[in-house]
Amino acid sequence: MVRITLRQAMYFVAVADHGTMSGAALTLNISEPALADGLRKLEQITNLVLLERLPARGARLTQAGLALESSIRQLLITAQKTEEIAAKIACNTQTILRIGCFINLTPYILYDLQKYLMNRFPEIKLDFHENNHKNLVKSLANNDLDLLIAYDMGRIGEKIQTETLFSLQPYVIMREDHPLAKCKNLTLEDISNEPLALFNLPGSDEYFENLFYKIKKNPSINFRAHTMESLYCAVAAGMGIAIVALRRKNNDSFCNKVVEIPISEPTNPLNIIIARKQTRGSASPDYIFRNISSFIREKSRNFGYVKPQ
């Protein structure tokens, strides 16, 4: 009788990949005690010590763990392939998958995701939408979307499954001739009296304004932008500095260079999530949902100033 569960196998592989209990727990979206309990049960089942716990919540595979690693990874691969085969058998008709994406995430995620899904799941018809957070959540709740990719604004609703994909740390952008442009890093206090260009979509504006409110400062907002392009152009034109999270691939705007400077003090990260309703007959079965999540996590490594979960 098989006693090793797929959940235990996933826990083991996550720790092997991350080298820390905290990193594995974040990726799996579970607590560290739950992760430790699952690994302890796996060791009891195999009668092997598979992991060596290190200081500061680190972990590495023992010789026994290394010997078992390839078999456990193959177990997960086989299970995933089995799910995919079963899902394709169940879906003899073409499935339409409706994916919504937050506006300024579209250039970073949606185009490459479309190519990936067309190659990986040619039997699925794709229907992409971009919008602000409020409208995306409303469309998901009304069953007009099957899943959405957006910032975690904490207002998704009941009976919605969410998963954190990666986190973005905010940083400052300004013209290269600004007096602070040569600084290696800045505090919020350093820029609190500067005119601010603000990314002004529902939810996003609150996040950036709250960074200043937490240090008891009221920012002077000089320009409100509805796209990342217009925000960068405003900064390049000298209409203010800005705090952003996503790095543009090309910082040339109106022939003026815009420099990027990290914020030195701890700030709340902007979490990017994927969300879907769990309903019978969903057009986004688990195996597709997991494939999309894995693809975006890997893609996030190219965004700059990104800390993958």
Side-chain angles (χ1 to χ4, degrees), residues 44-193:
Q44 290 173 351
I45 290 170
T46 58
N47 199 28
L48 296 169
V49 177
L50 302 174
L51 295 166
E52 178 184 357
R53 277 67 173 181
L54 303 174
R57 296 184 294 182
R60 65 185 175 196
L61 300 186
T62 62
Q63 288 298 318
L66 290 170
L68 199 63
E69 182 182 8
S70 63
S71 295
I72 290 182
R73 289 184 183 276
Q74 188 59 49
L75 175 64
L76 292 176
I77 291 171
T78 301
Q80 181 176 338
K81 288 182 177 178
T82 302
E83 280 193 3
E84 292 177 7
I85 292 170
K88 288 178 180 179
I89 293 172
C91 278
N92 290 323
T93 59
Q94 187 180 51
T95 297
I96 298 176
L97 183 61
R98 302 161 301 171
I99 301 176
C101 188
F102 187 74
I103 293 173
N104 73 334
L105 293 175
T106 297
Y108 297 85
I109 295 175
L110 219 55
Y111 306 140
D112 290 329
L113 179 61
Q114 180 185 27
K115 294 178 184 177
Y116 169 76
L117 291 175
M118 288 176 66
N119 291 328
R120 187 74 176 83
F121 304 104
E123 72 279 5
I124 294 177
K125 181 180 179 181
L126 302 171
D127 184 12
F128 290 104
H129 303 261
E130 69 170 8
N131 215 317
N132 61 42
H133 184 273
K134 180 180 178 180
N135 289 336
L136 287 174
V137 171
K138 182 178 179 180
S139 294
L140 185 65
N142 292 339
N143 295 317
D144 294 325
L145 289 176
D146 298 304
L147 58 87
L148 65 82
I149 302 159
Y151 292 108
D152 184 4
M153 300 298 179
R155 297 189 293 270
I156 293 294
E158 297 180 356
K159 298 181 180 179
I160 302 293
Q161 176 189 350
T162 64
E163 181 180 323
T164 300
L165 298 172
F166 58 93
S167 296
L168 293 159
Q169 292 294 337
Y171 61 96
V172 181
I173 60 172
M174 61 181 63
R175 281 173 59 111
E176 67 174 0
D177 58 359
H178 191 283
L180 297 175
K182 301 299 182 183
C183 296
K184 292 184 178 180
N185 52 63
L186 293 166
T187 66
L188 293 172
E189 185 73 33
D190 293 333
I191 60 174
S192 60
N193 294 321

